[in-house]
């Protein structure tokens, strides 16, 4: 599955047949919102989830958005101007 194709409207249709969801690392913002929707689907449907690197970071973004209510929560690496930065870069990066 390609994360660019996953949306809030079709996540259930695409992911209802899986036994687990792995969201790998990545670079840049391509497919980020689709990855977040897949993470949300896993959390809401009690499906095993493994987030690697960026995948784990996005699980924090998803939780902050959907559970805490920070609609614009994001990583400062991907959206430096977010008012709810939940993932930061280390100073030496």
């Amino acid at each position: 599955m390609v994360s660019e194709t996953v949306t809030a409207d079709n996540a259930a249709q695409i992911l209802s047949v899986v036994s687990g969801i792995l969201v790998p690392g990545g670079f840049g913002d391509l497919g980020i919102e689709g990855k977040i929707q897949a993470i949300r689907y896993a959390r809401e449907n009690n499906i095993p989830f493994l987030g690697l690197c960026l995948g784990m970071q996005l699980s924090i973004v998803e939780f902050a958005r959907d559970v805490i209510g920070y609609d614009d929560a994001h990583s400062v690496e991907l959206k430096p101007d977010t008012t709810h930065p939940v993932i930061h870069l280390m100073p030496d990066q």
Side-chain angles (χ1 to χ4, degrees), residues 36 43 57-74 84-87:
I36 290 171
R43 181 180 55 77
Q57 292 177 17
L58 293 177
S59 70
I60 296 166
V61 171
E62 187 280 325
F63 189 88
R65 287 181 182 181
D66 194 54
V67 176
I68 297 174
Y70 294 161
D71 293 336
D72 71 331
H74 223 306
H84 291 98
V86 293
I87 302 292

Side-chain angles (χ1 to χ4, degrees), residues 11-92:
Q13 177 185 2
I14 293 171
L15 300 169
S16 64
V17 297
V18 303
S19 299
I21 295 174
L22 182 141
V23 176
F27 299 95
D29 60 0
L30 185 64
I32 293 296
E33 294 305 318
K35 291 176 183 180
I36 290 171
Q37 289 304 319
I39 293 165
R40 180 179 181 183
Y41 183 83
R43 181 180 55 77
E44 290 180 342
N45 292 280
N46 202 27
I47 295 173
F49 163 75
L50 176 61
L52 303 175
C53 195
L54 178 60
M56 183 54 70
Q57 292 177 17
L58 293 177
S59 70
I60 296 166
V61 171
E62 187 280 325
F63 189 88
R65 287 181 182 181
D66 194 54
V67 176
I68 297 174
Y70 294 161
D71 293 336
D72 71 331
H74 223 306
S75 165
V76 295
E77 182 177 11
L78 299 168
K79 189 171 183 198
D81 61 341
T82 181
T83 59
H84 291 98
V86 293
I87 302 292
H88 295 270
L89 293 175
M90 295 186 322
D92 59 347

